[in-house]
Amino acid sequence: MTIQISSAADKMTSTNTFANGQTQINPPINLLQVTPKRKVTYIFDTRATSAQLKIPYAVAVNGKVLPVYANKPAKVSGGNGKIEVVVDAGSTVSLFLNSDAHPSYRTAPVYAVRPTQRDIVVKVKEKGGKHQDSDRPTLVNASAQQAGTDEYTAPLTGNIWMKVSHRYTSAEALSLLPNITLPEIRTAVASIYGPLAHPSLILDLPATPGKGAIRVKIVFSDSENPRDNITDYELLSDGLTRVHPAGYAALLHAAVENGTTSLNVTSCWRPLLGSIAHRAGLGLDVNYVDNIRLNREELRQSKAVHTPNVSTQEKSLFTELEASRKKVAALLNQGASKAEVETAQLLAGMAQRRWVDEVRNGEPRSVKDFRESLLRDGNVNQLFDPWYMDLNTHDNQPPEPNMQRPNVNGKGKSNEQLHANHLHITVREPRIL
C-alpha cells in the first residue's frame, strides 16, 4: 500500500492505492495552525518616591482592553509589583495607568511591546527630574538577557505621570457632579476646567429667606513637585484640571454650609510625591480655613510653628499620655504580672481620655464644623487633618485622634505626621482607586 498526500492552505487529503489497483480517497483533514504563546511581565519600581504606591492599571492586547478590566482597573504595587499576561506571539501589549485606567477614559496607552520569538520582561522605574523620555521600552544589552526572555527597561517620569493622568473638561465636570449640587457650585467647579485665568476661584450665592448672601474664595497655591519634574507644566491648565471635580465641590459645599469665606488649597494633582490619591487626581490639601492655620506640629515638636491649636494644658496631658503608654510597653517587655499590666493599661486609657477631651474642647468650632460637613459628603472617601484621621469615611467608625505617631520602622514620616499641618480629602471614585 502506498499513500499519496496533497495539501492545500489549511486542509490535507490522502489516497490509498491497493494491490488490486483500486484507489481510495480519504476525506480531507483540517490542519490546526497553533500560534505559540508568549508571556509579557511588567515590574514597577517607584521606590524613589514611595514603594507603597498601588497604581491603577488595565492591560490591552492589540488595542483592546482585556475583559477582566472592563469595569474597573486592577492595582500594581510600586515595590516591584508585577503585571503578567500571556498572549499570542506577535500581539501588541500595552497598559493604561493611573486615572487614565478609568473605564471611561483609556486614551493614553503606554509601555507597548510586541513579543515574537521570546517572552518579554519590562522593568518600569520611576525617575525624578525633568525628562522627555519616551514611554517606549528599550531592549537592554543582550548579555543581560535571561534564557528565553527579552528584558526591557522603561522610565516613569513626571511627563509620563502627566500623560496617564486624565485631564477633565468642563462638560465632564458637570456630568460627574451629583444632581443635588447647587447650580452656583456646579458653575464654579466647571469653570476650573476652562481653565481659570487666575489661581483663585470665587463663589457667590445670593441671599435667601433667613440667610444672607455668601461669598467663598478659594486660593490655589502652586506645588514645587510638578514644576520640578515636568518639562512643560502650568498649575491652572495642567494641575487643577487633573483633579476630580467632586473634590472641589465637596470643599465648596462644606464652606457654604458652615459660613466659611476663604480656603487655601496647597496641593492638588502632583506626579512624584505622596500617595496615589494625589497622583490620580483624587486628593486635595487645605492649610487654611478662613484665618485658621491647620497646623498642630508643636504637639510633638517644640520648635514647630506656633499656633493656638495646641494649648499648654494639652501638651502637659499629652506628655502624661506618652509616659503611661511607655510604662505599659516596658511592663510587657519585662514580663510583669497580669495585674500590673492591666493596671497600667487602665491608667493609660484614662490619660488618653483626658487628652482627647482637651483636643476636642480646644479645636476651633469652624474647623470642626467644616470637617463634619466633609465627613458627611458621599463623594469624600478619606479625611486626614491635624486633629483627626479617618481612613474610610463610609465605615461608620468615628475618626481617630491624630497623635502624630512616627512610623514603627522609623523610616520617613507616618501618615499622621504628614497630616499634622494640613487637611486632606480623598475623593471616592472606585473606578480609579
Side-chain angles (χ1 to χ4, degrees):
M1 179 179 71
T2 61
I3 299 178
Q4 297 177 344
I5 300 176
S6 61
S7 61
D10 59 350
K11 293 184 179 180
M12 178 177 72
T13 60
S14 62
T15 59
N16 298 341
T17 303
F18 298 95
N20 61 7
Q22 293 183 337
T23 300
Q24 175 181 313
I25 301 177
N26 296 322
I29 302 173
N30 290 331
L31 292 178
L32 294 178
Q33 297 181 346
V34 179
T35 302
K37 298 292 184 179
R38 297 289 179 257
K39 182 178 181 180
V40 175
T41 303
Y42 293 92
I43 302 175
F44 279 78
D45 179 2
T46 61
R47 290 175 295 175
T49 59
S50 173
Q52 283 72 49
L53 286 186
K54 302 296 182 184
I55 307 170
Y57 75 88
V59 178
V61 178
N62 295 326
K64 185 176 181 180
V65 174
L66 297 181
V68 68
Y69 310 106
N71 299 316
K72 184 178 180 179
K75 299 180 185 68
V76 62
S77 168
N80 286 326
K82 293 182 179 181
I83 301 171
E84 298 177 324
V85 60
V86 176
V87 299
D88 291 340
S91 299
T92 299
V93 179
S94 59
L95 300 178
F96 293 104
L97 295 176
N98 204 30
S99 56
D100 189 55
H102 187 294
S104 298
Y105 310 140
R106 299 177 177 174
T107 60
V110 291
Y111 305 132
V113 290
R114 184 173 177 267
T116 53
Q117 301 301 316
R118 296 152 65 93
D119 293 344
I120 286 179
V121 173
V122 183
K123 294 184 176 181
V124 180
K125 188 171 184 177
E126 194 174 44
K127 182 168 67 170
K130 294 184 178 182
H131 305 282
Q132 293 183 323
D133 306 45
S134 167
D135 62 78
R136 183 176 181 177
T138 302
L139 184 66
V140 302
N141 191 298
S143 63
Q145 304 290 331
Q146 300 179 23
T149 302
D150 287 334
E151 183 176 312
Y152 289 75
T153 60
L156 179 52
T157 64
N159 283 18
I160 296 173
W161 270 115
M162 188 163 75
K163 178 179 179 178
V164 298
S165 300
H166 183 68
R167 179 177 174 178
Y168 298 90
T169 65
S170 296
E172 283 177 321
L174 291 172
S175 69
L176 290 169
L177 294 177
N179 292 330
I180 60 172
T181 306
L182 292 173
E184 294 85 355
I185 291 180
R186 293 174 65 86
T187 300
V189 171
S191 71
I192 295 173
Y193 304 92
L196 295 173
H198 307 283
S200 62
L201 176 69
I202 294 178
L203 168 68
D204 281 313
L205 289 178
T208 57
K211 196 170 185 179
I214 298 173
R215 166 167 282 202
V216 180
K217 182 178 182 179
I218 297 183
V219 175
F220 299 101
S221 298
D222 206 350
S223 174
E224 292 181 359
N225 184 261
R227 293 202 313 269
D228 292 344
N229 293 284
I230 298 174
T231 56
D232 186 13
Y233 167 84
E234 201 276 325
L235 172 66
L236 303 180
S237 59
D238 301 314
L240 301 184
T241 56
R242 281 180 165 79
V243 176
H244 195 290
Y248 298 122
L251 294 181
L252 287 170
H253 180 265
V256 169
E257 193 170 64
N258 297 288
T260 301
T261 60
S262 66
L263 298 171
N264 191 59
V265 173
T266 56
S267 187
C268 52
W269 176 83
R270 62 191 188 214
L272 278 93
L273 179 66
S275 70
I276 191 63
H278 279 287
R279 305 182 197 215
L282 300 179
L284 284 170
D285 292 346
V286 176
N287 72 339
Y288 271 92
V289 173
D290 284 333
N291 63 344
I292 299 173
R293 185 170 185 175
L294 308 185
N295 191 309
R296 280 171 47 82
E297 291 175 315
E298 60 181 325
L299 178 65
R300 285 186 180 268
Q301 302 176 35
S302 59
K303 296 183 179 180
V305 60
H306 174 68
T307 70
N309 299 327
V310 183
S311 67
T312 301
Q313 174 68 2
E314 186 193 340
K315 290 179 183 178
S316 177
L317 291 173
F318 189 72
T319 299
E320 293 177 14
L321 170 58
E322 288 290 279
S324 66
R325 290 166 60 89
K326 289 178 181 177
K327 185 173 182 179
V328 171
L331 290 172
L332 289 171
N333 289 333
Q334 295 166 9
S337 68
K338 181 180 179 181
E340 286 181 296
V341 172
E342 289 180 346
T343 299
Q345 289 174 332
L346 177 62
L347 293 173
M350 293 170 62
Q352 178 153 346
R353 284 192 291 275
R354 289 193 295 271
W355 172 69
V356 169
D357 287 344
E358 181 64 22
V359 171
R360 184 183 300 114
N361 294 333
E363 180 182 13
R365 182 58 185 264
S366 60
V367 174
K368 178 181 178 181
D369 291 344
F370 186 73
R371 178 194 309 110
E372 291 298 324
S373 290
L374 290 171
L375 291 175
R376 291 192 298 268
D377 194 306
N379 288 306
V380 174
N381 196 52
Q382 294 177 324
L383 189 151
F384 308 129
D385 70 31
W387 287 268
Y388 292 96
M389 307 285 288
D390 199 328
L391 189 63
N392 183 351
T393 62
H394 297 268
D395 62 4
N396 295 321
Q397 297 297 317
E400 296 184 356
N402 185 350
M403 298 178 67
Q404 301 176 36
R405 290 167 291 197
N407 281 326
V408 176
N409 60 16
K411 295 181 179 179
K413 288 187 175 182
S414 68
N415 199 38
E416 291 185 353
Q417 290 174 320
L418 288 170
H419 295 94
N421 59 13
H422 66 275
L423 177 148
H424 164 93
I425 61 167
T426 301
V427 174
R428 186 183 189 191
E429 176 45 280
R431 290 171 296 178
I432 295 178
L433 291 182

